[in-house]
Amino acid sequence: GVMLMSAGAPERCISMGTFLNLFRDDGGGRLTPIRLLAVDAYVLKSDFTTHQGNVHALVLEQGSYVLTPTIANPYFTPTEVPRARFTVTPGTIVYIGEYFLTRSCSAMTYAEIRDQGSRDLAIATFKNPGLARLPVVTQLAAFVVNDKAK
């Protein structure tokens, strides 16, 4: 299956850039790191004209996955890290929404999950036309604190 989402913020960031850690949930509290996804990283050209951000489409094996935000600054240690869970099934695109930071470059960030499915799917299929033949299931991410891996 394919995980589709976008991530962004009002502006690009250098010193406190946010990323999303993507893990496969192997059960029993075991999370296997898969990829780091940029949210407001200055090193990537934005897919949008209105803000800094990118559409992410990843082919993943069937299973359960977890996203956690992280700030790319070695001097910053979070006290709580929220998690969002989603499930990938074969032959489908699971759209989990847009992870949008309301403020760029800050340790005190607040993210909103927005349904930008039409926009994000259009960008993803423009970049990879083969995605157009797959059915889309919307499963908007819900980030929660104190979510323990099951």
Side-chain angles (χ1 to χ4, degrees):
V2 176
M3 182 276 301
L4 175 65
M5 70 172 296
S6 62
E11 300 173 344
R12 63 191 200 144
C13 182
I14 296 173
S15 63
M16 295 289 281
T18 299
F19 291 82
L20 294 171
N21 290 302
L22 173 63
F23 299 95
R24 180 177 174 90
D25 186 347
D26 296 322
R30 294 181 314 276
L31 299 176
T32 301
I34 302 291
R35 174 101 21 114
L36 199 59
L37 305 172
V39 176
D40 58 355
Y42 74 97
V43 295
L44 296 178
K45 181 181 181 303
S46 182
D47 287 329
F48 311 106
T49 58
T50 57
H51 63 280
Q52 175 65 32
N54 297 96
V55 172
H56 302 285
L58 299 171
V59 174
L60 299 171
E61 294 177 9
Q62 178 176 341
S64 298
Y65 293 85
V66 175
L67 284 171
T68 63
T70 187
I71 293 179
N73 184 315
Y75 300 106
F76 178 77
T77 303
T79 55
E80 295 180 313
V81 179
R83 294 179 178 201
R85 296 180 176 279
F86 64 95
T87 303
V88 172
T89 55
T92 64
I93 296 172
V94 59
Y95 176 70
I96 62 172
E98 176 186 41
Y99 180 90
F100 190 81
L101 293 176
T102 56
R103 195 163 83 188
S104 303
C105 281
S106 172
M108 302 303 290
T109 58
Y110 176 74
E112 298 174 347
I113 303 301
R114 302 174 177 178
D115 188 349
Q116 297 287 345
S118 297
R119 179 199 70 187
D120 294 347
L121 186 60
I123 291 170
T125 55
F126 176 78
K127 291 181 173 186
N128 185 346
L131 294 175
R133 62 181 166 71
L134 296 175
V136 178
V137 175
T138 299
Q139 200 183 115
L140 295 182
F143 281 82
V144 295
V145 177
N146 297 324
D147 172 39
K148 305 295 182 206
K150 296 177 175 88

